[in-house]
Amino acid sequence: MTNEEFKQGQSLDEILASGAISTLFQPIVSLKNNTIYGYEALSRGPSDSPLHSPINLLDAASRHGRTAELDLLCRELAIQQFGRLNLPHKLFLDTIPAVLLQADYQHGLTLKFLEKANIPPNRVVIELTEQYPIEDYPLMREATEHYRSMGFTIALDDLGAGYAGLRTWSELKPDFVKLDRHDNTRFFPLLSLSIGMVKLRDFPILKTEAELSSHATAAKSRAKKIVGNSLYRLTQADCRVTQDHEL
């Protein structure tokens, strides 16, 4: 272990022990009527910490075997803050698929968090990030169906950015599909392919989103011709909901 990894491990211990995670909410906007459809919870470490970045935070948790612990803490704090701000519409919660499959993962806590915040499960979307591989699809299907049975809906995050995206879509049949938005050369072919899959599989709705403003504008123009109620996510410069709840 390098000295930097050791220090990050110490920082991670402090963050998990004190619950030093801040939550921001990024609006997701409907293309159909240009209204807010929901909010994605974004977790950050302390601003003065090398683990402020979610990438560094997740990497440190993975290296030190504390991913599930971090996942539950971020989820609990996001739900608390969402309820405290009394935000309307859907709450999108990111999670790493492998975490849900761990034998010691504490299933059922999400419902308890929601009950305390007075938020019904049907307002919550569990997002499965494609940045990490799914190694057991049958078990993953079982986990997602378990969440659906409790009233949650499922989203596949960043399709095309990580591992076996189209297989994951086919296996898990998510309610929302969110396309990787960082590369125009990949984004628009994925958008066209996704629309084709929706028609082929007779999915009722395709819901996509793009973070970059140029993507949002172009995606809106293209998607509206085929799927009128697609979604896109506003950029950081467009809107950010914090403790002040200003829109």
Side-chain angles (χ1 to χ4, degrees):
M1 180 183 297
T2 67
N3 186 52
E4 181 181 355
E5 289 174 342
F6 176 76
K7 289 181 177 179
Q8 287 191 349
Q10 288 184 317
S11 296
L12 179 64
D13 289 341
E14 294 172 0
I15 289 171
L16 293 176
S18 63
I21 296 290
S22 59
T23 306
L24 305 174
F25 295 98
Q26 193 168 35
I28 297 174
V29 177
S30 169
L31 293 179
K32 185 175 183 179
N33 49 23
N34 289 322
T35 58
I36 291 178
Y37 182 85
Y39 299 85
E40 180 174 4
L42 306 175
S43 299
R44 301 289 184 267
S47 59
D48 59 349
S49 166
L51 301 184
H52 174 67
S53 160
I55 295 175
N56 293 344
L57 187 60
L58 285 170
D59 284 348
S62 178
R63 282 196 303 270
H64 293 274
R66 306 189 73 177
T67 304
E69 192 176 348
L70 176 65
D71 182 84
L72 279 174
L73 176 61
C74 291
R75 190 177 300 191
E76 179 179 13
L77 296 177
I79 291 171
Q80 285 180 1
Q81 182 75 336
F82 193 78
R84 189 177 298 119
L85 294 173
N86 196 28
L87 292 173
H89 312 306
K90 298 274 189 181
L91 169 61
F92 287 69
L93 294 172
D94 289 329
T95 193
I96 298 170
V99 168
L100 301 180
L101 304 182
Q102 294 183 8
D104 59 346
Y105 188 75
Q106 301 179 63
H107 294 283
L109 286 181
T110 304
L111 276 180
K112 293 181 179 178
F113 300 153
L114 290 171
E115 288 173 2
K116 288 182 180 179
N118 197 30
I119 300 170
N122 61 11
R123 289 184 56 202
V124 177
V125 182
I126 303 295
E127 292 194 26
L128 306 175
T129 177
E130 278 287 85
Q131 296 297 328
Y132 300 88
I134 294 175
E135 298 179 353
D136 190 331
Y137 277 100
L139 193 57
M140 193 68 238
R141 282 198 303 272
E142 183 179 330
T144 54
E145 287 307 313
H146 174 68
Y147 274 100
R148 282 194 174 104
S149 70
M150 294 186 291
F152 298 94
T153 46
I154 304 297
L156 183 59
D157 194 12
D158 283 354
L159 179 70
Y163 296 84
L166 295 180
R167 181 185 175 185
T168 304
W169 187 350
S170 177
E171 292 273 1
L172 302 184
K173 298 178 176 60
D175 305 283
F176 296 80
V177 176
K178 299 165 65 180
L179 306 184
D180 178 30
R181 68 276 184 187
H182 295 101
D183 183 352
N184 273 322
T185 61
R186 300 179 65 187
F187 176 80
F188 290 117
L190 275 172
L191 179 62
S192 298
L193 178 60
S194 299
I195 291 169
M197 287 186 67
V198 168
K199 290 182 174 181
L200 179 64
R201 298 186 64 88
D202 195 29
F203 287 178
I205 299 174
L206 168 67
K207 298 179 175 70
T208 66
E209 67 175 1
E211 184 172 2
L212 301 181
S213 294
S214 59
H215 283 182
T217 302
K220 182 175 180 178
S221 175
R222 296 189 185 192
K224 252 192 169 180
K225 296 177 182 178
I226 305 173
V227 185
N229 48 354
S230 297
L231 307 176
Y232 69 94
R233 179 169 53 194
L234 297 180
T235 64
Q236 293 183 17
D238 291 328
C239 187
R240 180 76 78 187
V241 182
T242 62
Q243 185 70 38
D244 297 329
H245 187 15
E246 293 181 355
L247 294 177

